Amino acid sequence: MTINEPLLPPLEQVVRNIEQVIVGKRNVIVLSLTALLAKGHVLLEDVPGVGKTMLVRALAKSFSTELKRIQFTPDLLPSDVIGVSVYNPKERQFEYKPGPIIAHIVLADEINRTSPKTQSALLEAMGEGSVTVDGVTRALPQPFFVMATQNPIEYEGTYPLPEAQLDRFLLKLRMGYPSAEEEVDMLSRLEHSSPLEDIAPVMTVEELRSLQRKAADVHVSDTVKRYIVDLIQQSRQHEAVYLGVSPRGSVALMKAAQAYAFIHGRDFVIPDDVQQLAPYVLAHRLLVRPEAKWDKFDAETIIGQLIARTPVPVPGRR
């Protein structure tokens, strides 16, 4: 699905700022902003070299937020992510040395390259908004946003995230290859220097926090809530689905729809918001039956069927 609606002016400015670096991916940029304003996290699954890392760097620079990158490898330990306590002989006490997870925006690069134990340390921080080291719990800075990347090829030596952990991500996105024209444009921009060096902040961290609060205040009518629940219920009854979307998925779809409506200048959610976001919020939360995969059924196809089967609420009802 392509998102072409006009955006709230300050957020349009952010999108254009990022588009100086990321060519032809407005859809992915808007969806990433949706997750950020909804206080969710994003899993970017795509082949190497399509701009995943560049996207998150441009996003962090646009909001003047601190960015930390964690390159996941098989030998990475949980303490390498969340930090560790080190004894200070001068003070005769242990001091906490923060890990790279202590940042506003975290790039978790190739999350499927590290062990489940280390993955769990990251995912716990995402879910709880805090880290615990030696029995002491420390809150993460706010806003806190993780964009994790995953390579769908070269599975040797990798640890794919189980479905229960995929559920921690609000959205699962793919960048995709650029068109020929977009790729020529990209070469022109990179001919002499990286456009990332010229990106200037267009919004402060405090302004971002304010936008997150406003997005959370967007109204969701009882009718739209029922529509969301009907979609989720349909996912649990679909003949090609082994395990449907959990209640966490219902909450995720509503929160994402609130942020999406706010980005587009509305203070209320409409069914179109739900339909636009459903493939990105719900597809990675479905377990498709193996026999259905043989018939070339995938999660995205099933979500499309769920949208077609579920009656759209009549406008004007509460």
Side-chain angles (χ1 to χ4, degrees), residues 161-202:
L161 291 172
E163 285 72 17
Q165 292 185 334
L166 283 173
D167 203 33
R168 298 279 185 175
F169 291 96
L170 182 69
L171 305 177
K172 183 179 179 183
L173 307 177
R174 294 185 178 91
M175 296 284 286
Y177 286 119
S179 67
E181 292 75 15
E182 291 166 351
E183 199 158 357
V184 170
D185 186 12
M186 180 190 71
L187 293 178
S188 298
R189 296 187 190 193
L190 292 170
E191 185 176 1
H192 302 293
S193 63
S194 171
L196 188 64
E197 299 171 2
D198 300 325
I199 282 189
V202 295

Side-chain angles (χ1 to χ4, degrees), residues 3 61 129 175 187 228 286:
I3 299 171
K61 290 195 72 172
M175 296 284 286
L187 293 178
I228 291 172
L286 290 177

Side-chain angles (χ1 to χ4, degrees), residues 108-151:
D109 220 354
E110 294 192 293
I111 190 174
N112 58 328
R113 296 286 176 191
T114 197
S115 68
K117 188 174 183 179
T118 305
Q119 290 173 351
S120 295
L122 172 70
L123 293 162
E124 182 181 355
M126 289 165 50
E128 303 298 329
S130 62
V131 295
T132 302
V133 179
D134 293 336
V136 179
T137 300
R138 295 173 172 84
L140 294 169
Q142 295 299 322
F144 175 66
F145 176 67
V146 173
M147 185 171 282
T149 70
Q150 185 169 264
N151 186 351

Side-chain angles (χ1 to χ4, degrees), residues 10-22 29 32-33 36 53-67 104-105 143 145 195-209 211:
L11 292 167
E12 178 64 42
Q13 189 178 3
V14 173
V15 171
R16 290 183 180 179
N17 205 45
I18 298 173
E19 284 181 325
Q20 296 179 56
V21 177
I22 306 297
I29 296 170
S32 299
L33 281 176
L36 177 59
T53 302
M54 195 73 76
L55 169 62
V56 68
R57 285 179 173 172
L59 186 67
K61 290 195 72 172
S62 295
F63 285 105
S64 189
T65 51
E66 184 181 18
L67 169 69
H104 288 299
I105 296 182
F145 176 67
L196 188 64
E197 299 171 2
D198 300 325
I199 282 189
V202 295
M203 198 172 292
T204 65
V205 174
E206 186 50 50
E207 287 173 326
L208 174 55
R209 293 193 191 102
L211 291 178

